[in-house]
Amino acid sequence: FRSVSQSRYILSYDPYTFVSVQAVMCGADSVVVPRKGLSKDEYYEGHPLHRYLAYGTDELDRARGVRHELNGHLDLIEKESIDQIHKFVLFLRF
């Protein structure tokens, strides 16, 4: 077993693990092995971060083409989360 930072790609049989996204964050190609009964469209529509992963090896080029957008997307999620926490704290004060 090698760490993700030393790997060129990661294969995952779990289509919902965040480890696949973390692999992309480390610069690896992340391939989710397609699951019977879960179409490509269903997979990509299931969660916004799935677009940065390859659902099957046929999607590697597409995933590589959007990889550079991941950090910006994660920054936006972090900002939105912090904003929600601030709003909640203000709500509790009333």
Side-chain angles (χ1 to χ4, degrees):
F1 180 76
R2 296 184 326 178
S3 72
V4 172
S5 63
Q6 297 173 337
S7 299
R8 294 179 190 222
Y9 63 92
I10 182 172
L11 290 176
S12 177
Y13 290 89
D14 178 354
Y16 304 109
T17 181
F18 189 66
V19 172
S20 296
V21 176
Q22 290 172 317
V24 176
M25 292 167 62
C26 293
D29 287 327
S30 187
V31 179
V32 175
V33 177
R35 179 179 278 185
K36 188 175 182 176
L38 180 62
S39 74
K40 178 175 63 171
D41 292 336
E42 291 170 327
Y43 179 72
Y44 288 125
E45 292 170 7
H47 194 280
L49 292 178
H50 287 174
R51 74 182 299 259
Y52 303 103
L53 310 176
Y55 190 63
T57 55
D58 293 346
E59 290 289 301
L60 265 173
D61 288 338
R62 186 210 49 78
R64 288 173 180 152
V66 296
R67 176 187 302 174
H68 67 281
E69 300 171 10
L70 176 61
N71 286 339
H73 192 153
L74 293 172
D75 289 343
L76 179 62
I77 291 170
E78 179 182 29
K79 181 186 179 311
E80 290 173 350
S81 296
I82 291 169
D83 289 345
Q84 289 174 356
I85 291 168
H86 286 156
K87 288 176 184 176
F88 181 71
V89 169
L90 288 174
F91 172 78
L92 290 177
R93 289 184 180 173
F94 292 106

